[in-house]
Amino acid sequence: MRFGSPEFFHNPYPFYADRRSQGGALQLRPNTWTLTGYHELAAVLQSPLAGRGEVGYYGQTGVNKEDFRRFKQQNPAFRLIDQWMLFKNPPEHTVVRQKIAKSMTARVFNALESSIRATLNTLLAELDTERDGLIEFSSEVAYPFPNRVIGDLLGIPPDTLKEFTQWSGKIADVVEGGYLSMSSAYRDELNQGALDLKRHFKQLRDTTDFTGRECLIEKFSSTEGGELDEDEILANCVFMLFAGMESTSFAICNMIHALLSHPDQLALLREQPSLADNAADESLRFDPPIQMLTRVALDKIETDRVTVEKGENILAFIGAAGRDPDVNHSPDDFNIERESIRHLAFTRGTHHCMGSVLARIEMRVFLEEFFGRFADVRHFSEPVRRKNWLMRGFESLPLRCTH
């Protein structure tokens, strides 16, 4: 199987297995490592020396790094994501992360569960019931649900949320690369979207009284723990909106697809709703939304299984980690009763996902409410996968849901 082929986008896991059979860490080029083994991935990602390199630049042959930087500076969409804490190393990363850490604890998120459940039930009640139970699950359910949750956490009023999110999906195209191959017209569209998002957040921050509210936009704007300039504040508000929406929506789609593709497991979940937490975790192992991360060695990284020299690039296929037979027995089987599930869906180390607790709550609540509401859920027509090697999800997932 060829990387990036239609077969790969449909199912990348045989590709990972083939790479892993050659070694969990492979140096395919003099300056680039490919990691597919769980232990190799976990050890390298845990290292504080595994930093973020030039976002969007993976050491491509024939691409001058300085020219690439100038190119990004000329495009507002690329400048925007350059300021995300996701693409920063300490100490800059630490300042931003500490600003919101107190608002993203397990205690805070667990306290939100009732409102998250209410948000989902409102959304499900709004579904059009005049179409014989047919829904386009990805756009009508999986995308708007985490959208509303993170919008509330950011302090975005429900009646203006659409304005904030209409460009967020486009930001994924910036994050996922391919900058140099984009048409100038599409780059202009992305750049305008980035400017619109920043403008919306600036207006919200400047015109809203956040007194007594635990809103992330207010946390970014405070001076406690160090100041951020205005561009950094607005850019990281966009990041939180993007991060809280895109990956969770893909995770929910992948989870529902896995259950519908394994009817015995769905029947088991219906019989034992208490398995919802485990089912969500098994889904994150079996088919995670984030498939690959890039890192660069800020200094020499030495682990038991791999040594990465300073400046070398790391392609970390975290989608491969959960399918490693060294840590998960029969890894290609989807089993919601699996014990000791091991995966790296939320990565490790400095950039461990701060919203992992929230994502798990959203996934569990979704299983409880969605299958509690609909007695019969099945595929209606062939799903269409996204053609992307960083984030795995669906362009469309047509379902028939009946009471």
Side-chain angles (χ1 to χ4, degrees):
M1 179 189 294
R2 181 174 57 84
F3 177 78
S5 66
E7 294 80 14
F8 175 87
F9 291 128
H10 178 70
N11 180 12
Y13 300 105
F15 172 86
Y16 299 152
D18 179 66
R19 282 289 177 90
R20 191 168 46 241
S21 70
Q22 303 171 52
L26 294 177
Q27 191 171 25
L28 300 182
R29 298 197 299 267
N31 69 332
T32 302
W33 287 86
T34 298
L35 307 183
T36 53
Y38 178 90
H39 294 295
E40 290 84 352
L41 283 160
V44 170
L45 292 173
Q46 186 67 42
S47 171
L49 299 176
R52 296 306 310 230
E54 184 75 23
V55 57
Y57 181 83
Y58 309 124
Q60 302 98 319
T61 303
V63 179
N64 181 278
K65 194 169 185 177
E66 290 305 317
D67 289 345
F68 185 77
R69 286 176 176 172
R70 283 192 291 270
F71 173 77
K72 288 204 300 181
Q73 284 303 308
Q74 295 166 3
N75 292 271
F78 307 147
R79 293 201 306 271
L80 177 77
I81 67 169
D82 256 346
Q83 294 176 309
W84 288 4
M85 66 175 176
L86 177 66
F87 298 117
K88 297 290 186 182
N89 292 316
E92 293 87 354
H93 172 270
T94 307
V95 172
V96 182
R97 192 175 178 100
Q98 287 180 343
K99 274 185 170 290
I100 61 171
K102 292 181 180 179
S103 294
M104 298 190 70
T105 64
R107 180 189 61 79
V108 170
F109 288 143
N110 286 326
L112 293 174
E113 181 172 329
S114 61
S115 66
I116 291 170
R117 197 177 296 275
T119 294
L120 176 59
N121 281 317
T122 297
L123 174 64
L124 295 177
E126 292 170 353
L127 290 175
D128 187 351
T129 58
E130 302 301 318
R131 298 177 300 178
D132 195 26
L134 302 183
I135 63 172
E136 201 300 283
F137 181 81
S138 178
S139 62
E140 294 186 66
V141 183
Y143 191 80
F145 169 48
N147 183 4
R148 294 184 186 187
V149 171
I150 194 63
D152 185 57
L153 191 58
L154 278 163
I156 302 173
D159 59 342
T160 62
L161 184 58
K162 184 178 180 180
E163 296 179 80
F164 282 84
T165 59
Q166 62 182 346
W167 287 103
S168 184
K170 297 290 187 183
I171 294 296
D173 292 340
V174 186
V175 175
E176 292 162 0
Y179 304 159
L180 301 179
S181 62
M182 290 177 182
S183 69
S184 59
Y186 191 60
R187 284 201 300 268
D188 289 344
E189 185 179 348
L190 293 176
N191 288 333
Q192 187 58 53
L195 294 172
D196 286 344
L197 277 169
K198 288 178 67 174
R199 175 171 53 82
H200 285 317
F201 271 112
K202 185 178 188 305
Q203 184 178 19
L204 174 66
R205 187 196 62 176
D206 294 346
T207 61
T208 305
D209 181 7
F210 293 107
T211 303
R213 298 173 61 187
E214 285 285 335
C215 297
L216 294 183
I217 189 171
E218 188 274 334
K219 293 295 182 184
F220 277 128
S221 301
S222 74
T223 58
E224 182 182 354
E227 291 190 48
L228 302 179
D229 64 34
E230 182 169 273
D231 277 351
E232 289 176 310
I233 293 170
L234 300 176
N236 281 287
C237 285
V238 174
F239 165 62
M240 294 305 299
L241 179 64
F242 171 82
M245 184 167 52
E246 295 292 327
S247 59
T248 305
S249 68
F250 296 155
I252 290 172
C253 279
N254 293 345
M255 175 176 66
I256 294 302
H257 178 67
L259 284 164
L260 295 181
S261 301
H262 298 83
D264 60 320
Q265 297 299 296
L266 177 56
L268 181 61
L269 177 64
R270 286 189 180 279
E271 293 170 5
Q272 300 182 50
S274 61
L275 287 172
D277 262 324
N278 217 58
D281 212 34
E282 172 69 349
S283 172
L284 290 168
R285 179 202 70 80
F286 184 77
D287 198 16
I290 308 298
Q291 291 284 305
M292 198 269 276
L293 302 170
T294 61
R295 295 288 187 266
V296 65
L298 303 178
D299 207 331
K300 185 175 183 179
I301 301 172
E302 294 185 271
T303 76
D304 291 343
R305 303 191 182 207
V306 61
T307 297
V308 183
E309 298 294 338
K310 180 179 180 179
E312 289 185 332
N313 297 302
I314 302 162
L315 304 182
F317 286 98
I318 60 173
R323 298 287 188 109
D324 189 337
D326 283 352
V327 296
N328 291 303
H329 179 67
S330 301
D332 294 325
D333 293 343
F334 181 70
N335 176 13
I336 66 172
E337 292 183 296
R338 184 184 298 274
E339 298 179 358
S340 302
I341 299 171
R342 302 180 75 180
H343 61 75
L344 296 172
F346 299 115
T347 191
R348 286 279 180 88
T350 302
H351 291 279
H352 177 266
C353 177
M354 294 181 70
S356 60
V357 173
L358 176 62
R360 290 179 189 276
I361 292 172
E362 288 176 292
M363 293 175 74
R364 172 176 55 78
V365 166
F366 194 92
L367 290 178
E368 293 168 350
E369 298 300 328
F370 187 69
F371 289 115
R373 177 178 290 262
F374 296 110
D376 185 61
V377 180
R378 62 186 64 195
H379 287 116
F380 173 68
S381 60
E382 189 67 23
V384 179
R385 281 283 184 184
R386 300 176 77 246
K387 294 181 179 180
N388 190 273
W389 44 275
L390 288 182
M391 299 182 72
R392 181 165 166 81
F394 287 89
E395 290 290 348
S396 67
L397 186 56
L399 302 181
R400 172 172 276 126
C401 307
T402 54
H403 296 283

